[in-house]
Amino acid sequence: MTAGIATPARSMLAAMLLCTTAGASPFAYITNQGSHDVSVIDLASQQVAATVPVGRSPAGVVASSRAGRAFVSNPDSKTISVIDMRLQKVVNTLPAGDGPVGIDISGDGKHLYVADWYSSRLLVFDALAAKASKPLASIAVGRAPAGVAAHSDGATVFVAERDDDSVAVVDTATRRVVARVRVGSHPFALLYDAQRSRLYALNVQSNDVTVVDVRDTRRPAVVATVKVGKAPYGAALAQGGSLLYVTNQHEDTVSVIDAASLKVLRTLPGFAYPEGIAAHGDRVYVVNWMDDNVQVLDAASGQKLKTIATGQNSRGFGAFIGAPMEP
């Protein structure tokens, strides 16, 4: 997620995209598993601007400024809902295998990548398709694929293979796995750090973050393991990429890590089964599954600034912030 993998997973790219939106207001698209809808938060007003019905039990999400769309995975409906960012309504529904979970999109907004949890594959879609269409490709990956993170080079996609304790490196041209790297126990979310050519794998069973050097995508190498709280679920880069925020589901906390030294600076308490997380400007947005809300934090200090009520059992797994580009 991802994500989530932000758009936290691509901090430099996200900054460029936001600069080109000519003042368009950014939105946060929060998937609500319990109410089967998406809460659309206008970040300018810090209020819910719309509630969009989607498929059953939505989980993953990616908001693409380039595509002008937010994509939502609905595992129980086995579909992807496509939301137009200007209309704030579903304009397309894509059939997506047996259980779509993690989701990400290429930097140019043309290709959508979806982890099909039950079928152990990565699905590739035309993100700009005007009507429901079959995947462009189905790529075999490891067991229980969860988080997905697209490299900014457009040539590589990373997939968390949860039940194999590994991350697959997929070549988008040949549409096959070209490398794998062992990480911690049960990796779920992935976050790509373009600034440092790193990948962060959040391991929900070993309660840590594996840091992978991906300067050579064909030879990914683990460079560090950072202990965090119980069951890390989502991650975001904030403060120009200098801080890495990680939600810890089973500890009701958020870890704040110095991205340069990889040292945990502080652990923030007082959340309620935090899952998705994303950053925009000087704010960080934490999605709380148990409390049905999003908490807004000051990125520099971690201080809580505001709480925004959402739908039931909010998840926000992925890069859920985006702004439609001006025509």
Side-chain angles (χ1 to χ4, degrees), residues 198-218:
R198 284 180 185 166
L199 186 73
Y200 304 104
L202 278 63
N203 307 305
V204 296
Q205 200 167 71
S206 53
N207 305 321
D208 52 28
V209 177
T210 302
V211 184
V212 183
D213 184 332
V214 292
R215 286 176 293 180
D216 183 348
T217 56
R218 299 300 179 101

Side-chain angles (χ1 to χ4, degrees), residues 24-282:
S25 175
F27 297 96
Y29 294 84
I30 310 301
T31 52
N32 301 310
Q33 185 179 37
S35 49
H36 314 297
D37 53 28
V38 172
S39 297
V40 182
I41 300 172
D42 184 331
L43 299 194
S45 66
Q46 300 280 283
Q47 295 180 343
V48 173
T51 300
V52 183
V54 289
R56 291 194 59 78
S57 307
V61 57
V62 61
S64 170
S65 298
R66 288 288 186 192
R69 296 175 171 186
F71 302 85
V72 173
S73 66
N74 308 301
D76 288 353
S77 294
K78 304 178 182 180
T79 60
I80 302 296
S81 296
V82 183
I83 299 172
D84 186 294
M85 285 184 176
R86 293 185 179 85
L87 302 175
Q88 305 301 5
K89 71 175 186 179
V90 173
V91 294
N92 200 0
T93 301
L94 306 172
D98 296 319
V101 183
I103 187 168
D104 204 2
I105 195 166
S106 58
D108 60 9
K110 293 181 179 180
H111 292 105
L112 185 71
Y113 302 102
V114 179
D116 187 352
W117 177 275
Y118 293 113
S119 295
S120 300
R121 56 184 177 166
L122 179 70
L123 304 177
V124 184
F125 290 89
D126 178 354
L128 301 179
K131 59 182 180 180
S133 56
K134 294 181 179 180
L136 300 175
S138 176
I139 303 165
V141 293
R143 295 180 298 163
V148 179
H151 194 293
S152 57
D153 65 6
T156 308
V157 177
F158 304 102
V159 182
E161 301 170 320
R162 195 200 67 162
D163 288 0
D164 290 335
D165 299 337
S166 60
V167 173
V169 181
V170 176
D171 184 295
T172 61
T174 62
R175 293 174 175 169
R176 64 184 183 90
V177 175
V178 294
R180 280 190 169 90
V181 59
R182 296 282 295 181
V183 291
S185 181
H186 280 35
F188 194 75
L190 298 177
L191 176 65
Y192 172 62
D193 182 347
Q195 184 177 343
R196 298 176 180 85
S197 295
R198 284 180 185 166
L199 186 73
Y200 304 104
L202 278 63
N203 307 305
V204 296
Q205 200 167 71
S206 53
N207 305 321
D208 52 28
V209 177
T210 302
V211 184
V212 183
D213 184 332
V214 292
R215 286 176 293 180
D216 183 348
T217 56
R218 299 300 179 101
R219 294 176 179 170
V222 173
V223 294
T225 300
V226 183
K227 294 298 292 185
V228 289
K230 294 180 181 178
Y233 182 92
L237 287 163
Q239 288 292 94
S242 64
L243 297 177
L244 175 65
Y245 275 74
V246 176
T247 57
N248 304 307
Q249 276 181 321
H250 297 170
E251 197 175 88
D252 297 336
T253 64
V254 172
S255 298
V256 184
I257 301 165
D258 182 285
S261 66
L262 296 175
K263 302 296 183 183
V264 177
L265 300 176
R266 63 186 75 92
T267 301
L268 309 175
F271 300 91
Y273 210 80
E275 293 206 345
I277 186 168
H280 177 80
D282 60 357

